[in-house]
Amino acid sequence: MTFIPVSEILTKIVQNVLSKCVKPKLIPKMDFTEGVPKEYSTMVVVPSILKDADDVRKVFERLEVYYLANKSENIYCTALGDPSTGTKSKEDKDEGLLNEGLYQVKRLNEKYGKNIFGFAYRKRVWNDGEKCYMGWERKRGLLTEISNFLLDKRSKNSFLVNTLEKENLDIKYIITLDADTELTLNSGIELIEAMAHILNTPIVKDKIVISGYGIMQPRVGINLEESKKSVFAEIFAGSGGVDSYTNAISDTYQDNFGEGIYTGKGIYDLAVFCECLKDKIPENTVLSHDLLEGSYLRCGLASDIMLLDGYPKSYLAYLSRLERWIRGDYQITPWLARKSGLNKLSKFKILDNIRRSLIEITAILNVILLLCFKAFFGERISIPLTITLLSIVISSVLEFINYIVFRKENIKRQKRFSKSIDGLLGAFYRGSISIMVLPSLAYISLKAIVKTIYRMKKSKEHLLEWTTSEEAERLSKNSVSTLYSKMFANVLIGIFIAFLTFSMNMHIFAKGLILDLAFLWFLAPLLMWEISKESVKPKALKKLSFDEISYIKNIAEKTWNFFLENMNKEESFLPPDNFQESRREKIVSRTSSTNIGLRTFNNSFCI
């Protein structure tokens, strides 16, 4: 039973050592600062489950920001709508949703004077496994059908509305984002630059990319606002936002094997995607398809390009996401046995996901069994018990070691106007909470594994069961009673271990530590309820001193003057007949870029 805990400790240590010894590998890029060439035309898509007109508006608001942040010729933006599940093929709410989508496309295309924005909304089809009408194969089906359509204009009958039918588009790449993912300033253009480089050109053999990259994954950080929604998010999401001074970061797979892990947000070659994934994944079998797509198309990790993602604000929403991930990991285990064509590294990635899903389960079983051995046989358990608990907090321990060993001298702490739970304090909190919620994590993992195996082997139903992150947040009722009912494993195991410890003859110090652990498990639901509360933003301006306000105003003035002076310098070289139009374009582009930066600054300032 100690194999999994030991493997986790060794894996983390090896990864940490490699990150210090192996230099991060930068993926080469082209230079498209003058604009994306037509032969590399790219479409940014946001696959989303749309439930009403308000959802449609939110998606197009995001798309407009993405366009302004990555303004270039030959970049297009499309909202891909998947219908919510229903009892019939067409619901009454669909009409208002479709009208809103068509209105938003018309409004934005007229606003910018180009046919940049598009909208596609799929039909519902009956799914016997899910016992409802839904979009075929959910997100995977949506991307497959729009990709096939863009490549050779097939799959027309799959959509209730598809404004792209009217366009003569020759798309080379697709950038796909989740509904809560942000395409940051110039990150879309940088992804195109990376895919377009000749050294990254995908070479396909037997419908598998063997050289180059057919798909590319950027580094994914946490949105600044999302990281401040609750104390729970602050602890586990880190400081959030974009660090302009961070270049490439270390990644074990990319730096040592030349491949990364695809997590569903990135850019792919349209033709290669359709060729390599055709008929590779049977219907109604796979929930999480990202790892398989990254394996067949050979995923590259561009760690110097960063997107921003959301993060669960409550512990219950986190548990919901974790269960979904584990179910998805186990549903692709058949690719380990079958002659799938996957290389050994891809199969190792699948196995490693399975190994990680067993860490909490084996840890809690180890604790219970070791205490039973101590109670009935008087065996020494200090070493295996320490190893077991260390496997849960090994990441935090390595953070402490890195801080002590690799700390640079004469480095002052960064000045901030908002409190942030990071560094050593964040590592301590994460390690402590990981121990406190261990029983509930073990129960959720075990539940997800058993449920998935039963569905795969017996019922063959609900393999595509899916709850969006927004819906998970909405359904996760944060109350003390709900937390205790969802984390009942903490209470039961805490009481059992306390009772077992009282009956044992052991050193008073050791007995006190185990009883403290049992007590913490019993109190964990109360703590998770407290830190999952939504944070209320105070009016930070009233809390600042006169010197701090002066400092902020000075920074704002310098920032504004920088853009103003550079705009005047560039305009002085323009011919008179192009002056007004070019000035308007520059103001629109700079204003949008500045607004993105100011919005991020304002969020950090007001929290």
Side-chain angles (χ1 to χ4, degrees), residues 158-195:
S158 302
F159 299 93
L160 282 175
V161 166
N162 185 0
T163 63
L164 303 177
E165 292 177 355
K166 304 174 184 178
E167 306 297 333
N168 185 22
L169 298 174
D170 186 15
I171 300 297
K172 174 70 172 175
Y173 302 124
I174 297 286
I175 295 177
T176 176
L177 307 168
D178 289 342
D180 57 349
T181 306
E182 288 189 17
L183 193 66
T184 54
L185 189 64
N186 294 326
S187 58
I189 296 174
E190 290 174 349
L191 284 172
I192 302 169
E193 292 173 339
M195 286 292 289

Side-chain angles (χ1 to χ4, degrees), residues 15 30 49 104 116 161-162 196 247 275 289 344 372 378 391 424 557 586 594 596:
Q15 289 177 346
M30 300 293 286
I49 296 178
Q104 292 293 337
I116 300 166
V161 166
N162 185 0
N247 201 352
E275 177 185 357
H289 45 88
K344 293 180 181 179
C372 288
S391 68
L424 293 184
E557 183 180 3
K586 288 179 183 297
T594 305
I596 294 171

Side-chain angles (χ1 to χ4, degrees), residues 232-433:
F232 174 80
E234 282 193 69
I235 293 172
F236 287 93
S239 56
V242 177
D243 184 353
S244 302
Y245 300 98
T246 299
N247 201 352
I249 62 169
S250 176
D251 179 79
T252 303
Y253 289 105
Q254 182 67 43
D255 297 339
N256 296 277
F257 303 102
E259 294 184 33
I261 296 179
Y262 183 57
T263 60
K265 296 166 273 284
I267 183 171
Y268 62 82
D269 186 299
L270 180 60
V272 173
F273 180 91
C274 293
E275 177 185 357
C276 293
L277 294 178
K278 184 179 180 181
D279 302 325
K280 284 289 177 66
I281 302 176
E283 290 187 26
N284 295 324
T285 58
V286 172
L287 176 66
S288 298
H289 45 88
D290 304 330
L291 184 54
L292 292 179
E293 291 168 349
S295 298
Y296 282 116
L297 273 67
R298 194 167 186 265
C299 175
L301 175 64
S303 63
D304 57 333
I305 305 173
M306 189 173 185
L307 305 186
L308 296 179
D309 208 353
Y311 196 86
K313 74 176 182 182
S314 67
Y315 180 63
L316 291 180
Y318 172 81
L319 289 181
S320 175
R321 188 181 70 167
L322 177 64
E323 182 182 357
R324 185 177 73 242
W325 283 355
I326 293 175
R327 287 194 291 115
D329 290 336
Y330 275 79
Q331 285 177 358
I332 63 176
T333 51
W335 271 259
L336 293 171
R338 67 176 57 167
K339 294 182 179 179
S340 57
L342 297 184
N343 59 27
K344 293 180 181 179
L345 181 63
S346 297
K347 290 184 177 181
F348 176 80
K349 293 174 185 176
I350 297 174
L351 277 174
D352 194 50
N353 284 346
I354 301 303
R355 179 193 64 82
R356 282 190 283 111
S357 71
L358 298 172
I359 292 172
E360 287 82 12
I361 298 173
T362 54
I364 203 68
L365 286 176
N366 270 358
V367 171
I368 294 173
L369 290 176
L370 287 170
L371 290 175
C372 288
F373 268 94
K374 179 66 176 177
F376 297 108
F377 303 105
E379 298 287 339
R380 294 175 65 91
I381 63 171
S382 56
I383 293 178
L385 185 61
T386 301
I387 292 174
T388 297
L389 295 179
L390 180 60
S391 68
I392 303 300
V393 299
I394 182 62
S395 295
S396 297
V397 171
L398 290 175
E399 284 189 61
F400 276 100
I401 294 174
N402 284 333
Y403 179 82
I404 295 171
V405 176
F406 299 100
R407 182 183 180 184
K408 296 180 181 179
E409 296 182 1
N410 301 321
I411 299 295
K412 294 183 178 179
R413 184 175 177 83
Q414 187 177 3
K415 185 175 182 179
R416 293 176 178 173
F417 290 97
S418 61
K419 293 181 179 179
S420 181
I421 305 175
D422 57 4
L424 293 184
L425 182 62
F428 173 76
Y429 284 158
R430 284 189 293 273
S432 301
I433 293 174

Side-chain angles (χ1 to χ4, degrees), residues 3 12 17 24 70 141 183 253 268 298 323 406-407 424 475 512 528 543 552 557 566 577 605:
F3 171 74
K12 293 293 185 182
V17 171
N70 295 270
L183 193 66
Y253 289 105
Y268 62 82
R298 194 167 186 265
E323 182 182 357
F406 299 100
R407 182 183 180 184
L424 293 184
L475 294 175
M528 302 317 291
K543 298 169 62 177
I552 292 176
E557 183 180 3
N566 279 273
D577 56 339
F605 172 64

Side-chain angles (χ1 to χ4, degrees), residues 139-244:
K139 178 185 174 182
R140 184 177 76 84
L142 182 54
L143 286 175
T144 298
E145 291 187 324
I146 199 65
S147 296
N148 286 334
F149 171 77
L150 290 172
L151 190 64
D152 52 21
K153 302 301 180 184
R154 290 191 291 113
S155 301
K156 286 184 181 180
N157 295 329
S158 302
F159 299 93
L160 282 175
V161 166
N162 185 0
T163 63
L164 303 177
E165 292 177 355
K166 304 174 184 178
E167 306 297 333
N168 185 22
L169 298 174
D170 186 15
I171 300 297
K172 174 70 172 175
Y173 302 124
I174 297 286
I175 295 177
T176 176
L177 307 168
D178 289 342
D180 57 349
T181 306
E182 288 189 17
L183 193 66
T184 54
L185 189 64
N186 294 326
S187 58
I189 296 174
E190 290 174 349
L191 284 172
I192 302 169
E193 292 173 339
M195 286 292 289
H197 197 281
I198 190 171
L199 294 179
N200 301 325
T201 302
I203 306 299
V204 180
K205 181 181 180 181
D206 297 329
K207 292 188 175 182
I208 294 180
V209 177
I210 60 172
S211 178
Y213 303 110
I215 198 166
M216 203 164 287
Q217 169 78 43
R219 179 158 55 104
V220 180
I222 304 299
N223 179 287
L224 186 63
E225 289 184 76
E226 296 292 324
S227 69
K228 301 294 184 180
K229 280 191 172 181
S230 66
V231 176
F232 174 80
E234 282 193 69
I235 293 172
F236 287 93
S239 56
V242 177
D243 184 353
S244 302

